[in-house]
Amino acid sequence: MKVSECCDLFLSYMADKSPNTVKNYRVDFNQFIKIVGDKNINEITKADIAKFRMTLQMQNKKSSTIARKLASVNSLFQYLMDLELVSSSPITKSHRPKVSQKIPSALSNEEVKKLIDALDSIQDKAIVVLFLTTGLRSSELLSIKKSNIVVERNGQTFSIDRLIEGEVKEGDIAYIRVVGKGDKEREVPITGKTLEILVQYLKSINEFLDDNEYIFPISYHLLWRKIKNIGKKLAITLHPHKLRHTAATMALSSGAELRVIQELLGHASPVTTARYAKVGQKQLLKATKALSENIDL
């Protein structure tokens, strides 16, 4: 089989993954074929892999980008090995560049306040506040539907429509169900000012919103451009992941334990099973509540 045919087979296998994941694989595979040629898959050698890496380096690609693209190609070969179409992967550890574990920068408390005060639209405010108080990924935020939000009040649960049609009361907790990396599902709790801002936003669009429609009907690239432009007005380098890292940094400085932050950010087991693990919903609620209270919303 040709490399392109094998790539198509793998992409069909990955069709149920997120559109962004599939898109990244497709881009990486197209680049691989362009550099090494659409030869028979069994003819791909270690020299081809070295050529692929060297070409990417000459294009001044970051080490992290090169590592990701090589990981994509390796995933293809692992899949083909499972199908017994190839006997081994030509990619070895020596092909993979060392990736520096650079810690992303976070906004200072002053910058966070400046950012919140500068937000013009209720949609922008809802997006930024959710990022800052929950640490959601961009893909997770964009995948939220109205039906994914459940509200708890005095031990009873109901849909978010009750708050949209009424008002947020003290003690109300909303749980947002999101699917993170590796298709891991978790529920992220929000309360207080964060919940009020989200409900205010949902009220503004509710007449156009069905339960199974995304509450933020914008593309991944538009979201990044939106956040970047907000930062540009304030002379701050800004992107969604920086807001996510800011949430983690603020949660840590607010006293949340590292394992709770890992759970909140979706780096551990899903919160739906957290009651049986070390981290529970009460601890997650404490973390998001501390974030909400520490930001002047």
Side-chain angles (χ1 to χ4, degrees), residues 17-18 36 42 75 82 85 91 111 133 147 190 201 211 238 245 296:
K17 302 298 182 182
S18 74
V36 305
N42 287 297
S75 294
D82 288 341
L85 293 175
I91 298 177
E111 288 175 326
T133 59
S147 58
I190 61 171
Y201 167 67
D211 284 351
L238 200 60
H245 182 67
D296 188 15

Side-chain angles (χ1 to χ4, degrees), residues 199-250:
V199 170
Q200 183 184 353
Y201 167 67
L202 292 176
K203 284 184 177 182
S204 71
I205 63 169
N206 193 49
E207 63 177 303
F208 312 106
L209 188 65
D210 292 331
D211 284 351
N212 290 315
E213 291 182 352
Y214 299 119
I215 66 173
F216 298 111
I218 57 178
S219 69
Y220 179 83
H221 294 291
L222 181 59
L223 173 66
W224 273 74
R225 193 159 64 244
K226 178 190 284 284
I227 300 300
K228 183 178 180 180
N229 288 339
I230 291 172
K232 192 177 292 185
K233 292 178 182 177
L234 302 172
I236 297 173
T237 301
L238 200 60
H239 48 78
H241 189 70
K242 189 169 186 175
L243 296 177
R244 174 173 158 86
H245 182 67
T246 299
T249 302
M250 293 180 67

Side-chain angles (χ1 to χ4, degrees), residues 252-283:
L252 191 61
S253 63
S254 298
E257 295 180 23
L258 187 59
R259 60 192 178 90
V260 177
I261 298 171
Q262 290 174 329
E263 183 72 45
L264 179 65
L265 299 182
H267 290 165
S269 58
V271 75
T272 48
T273 60
R275 69 188 64 185
Y276 307 109
K278 294 180 180 179
V279 178
Q281 289 182 340
K282 287 185 178 180
Q283 289 169 294

Side-chain angles (χ1 to χ4, degrees), residues 78-230:
Q78 293 298 324
Y79 171 69
L80 296 176
M81 286 168 62
D82 288 341
L83 296 181
E84 298 183 352
L85 293 175
V86 297
S87 59
S88 63
S89 171
I91 298 177
T92 64
K93 288 184 178 180
S94 63
H95 290 120
R96 298 173 183 174
K98 290 184 178 180
V99 180
S100 60
Q101 300 299 315
K102 184 180 178 181
I103 300 175
S105 60
L107 296 175
S108 65
N109 291 337
E110 293 74 18
E111 288 175 326
V112 169
K113 187 178 187 311
K114 188 178 177 183
L115 172 61
I116 296 296
D117 291 343
L119 296 173
D120 297 324
S121 73
I122 184 59
Q123 184 189 71
D124 289 351
K125 193 167 188 178
I127 288 173
V128 170
V129 167
L130 278 174
F131 273 135
L132 286 174
T133 59
T134 65
L136 287 174
R137 297 180 177 92
S138 299
S139 58
E140 293 169 346
L141 181 131
L142 293 177
S143 68
I144 298 173
K145 299 177 181 178
K146 194 164 71 167
S147 58
N148 296 144
I149 310 172
V150 176
V151 178
E152 180 182 316
R153 176 185 290 169
N154 299 326
Q156 295 184 320
T157 59
F158 43 85
S159 74
I160 191 67
D161 283 318
R162 185 156 173 185
L163 298 189
I164 295 173
E165 296 166 1
E167 60 181 1
V168 178
K169 293 188 177 181
E170 186 176 354
D172 284 350
I173 306 168
Y175 293 94
I176 305 174
R177 187 175 72 253
V178 298
V179 179
K181 287 187 175 180
D183 292 332
K184 291 182 178 180
E185 184 177 286
R186 71 186 191 281
E187 291 176 349
V188 179
I190 61 171
T191 186
K193 286 286 187 181
T194 301
L195 179 54
E196 290 176 10
I197 290 169
L198 177 61
V199 170
Q200 183 184 353
Y201 167 67
L202 292 176
K203 284 184 177 182
S204 71
I205 63 169
N206 193 49
E207 63 177 303
F208 312 106
L209 188 65
D210 292 331
D211 284 351
N212 290 315
E213 291 182 352
Y214 299 119
I215 66 173
F216 298 111
I218 57 178
S219 69
Y220 179 83
H221 294 291
L222 181 59
L223 173 66
W224 273 74
R225 193 159 64 244
K226 178 190 284 284
I227 300 300
K228 183 178 180 180
N229 288 339
I230 291 172

